Amino acid sequence: MEWARDFYGTTGEWWAAAEARITERDDRRVETIARFCRRPRARVLELGSGYGTTAVATALAGYAVTAVELTGRADRTSQVLADVGAPPDLLTLCRGDFYQVDLPGRFDVVTYWNGFGIGDDTDQRRLLRRIRHDWLA
């Protein structure tokens, strides 16, 4: 996992000015959540939230969002919130490794939008077990 922290942290510094903004991709992801979860104020856990653009868009749509991000990309989430005029406490941001982070409660929805190349098959199975047993309501 160390390579992921270094790679995504470094590229996050390079690309933040261009990427740390809500786009149609984020809106489509929120639409996907709405299509599968029709509960108002549902609790959403976003793993690997990056700059927080999808997490912010999801929170703006009325969901109670907890976002987990390993790298310094998470530091841009407050700017994304500010850019759309949202309060800094609109969502809960946890900086850490989602293989180890301890989160309170369960969630109606767990998302992991772009996890390509993170961990091997054993890691992926371990993550799926965490989602099933620890997080998903």
Side-chain angles (χ1 to χ4, degrees), residues 15-31:
W15 301 329
E19 293 183 338
R21 59 186 170 76
I22 295 173
T23 66
E24 289 179 17
R25 179 195 65 187
D26 303 300
D27 295 334
R28 284 191 306 272
R29 289 174 174 176
V30 174
E31 289 170 5

Side-chain angles (χ1 to χ4, degrees), residues 73-134:
R73 288 180 183 218
D75 298 339
R76 296 294 183 134
T77 302
S78 60
Q79 186 60 52
V80 174
L81 286 162
D83 288 347
V84 296
D89 62 350
L90 183 66
L91 58 83
T92 301
L93 178 63
C94 299
R95 177 102 182 257
D97 182 338
F98 49 70
Y99 288 107
Q100 299 174 4
V101 69
D102 188 25
L103 300 169
R106 294 197 173 258
F107 300 86
D108 302 301
V109 176
V110 178
T111 65
Y112 184 30
W113 297 110
N114 186 8
F116 178 78
I118 303 297
D120 58 19
D121 288 348
T122 301
D123 292 325
Q124 294 300 310
R125 283 190 291 276
R126 182 170 48 134
L127 180 58
L128 288 170
R129 280 191 297 277
R130 286 207 78 191
I131 290 170
R132 178 179 178 210
H133 296 292
D134 298 345

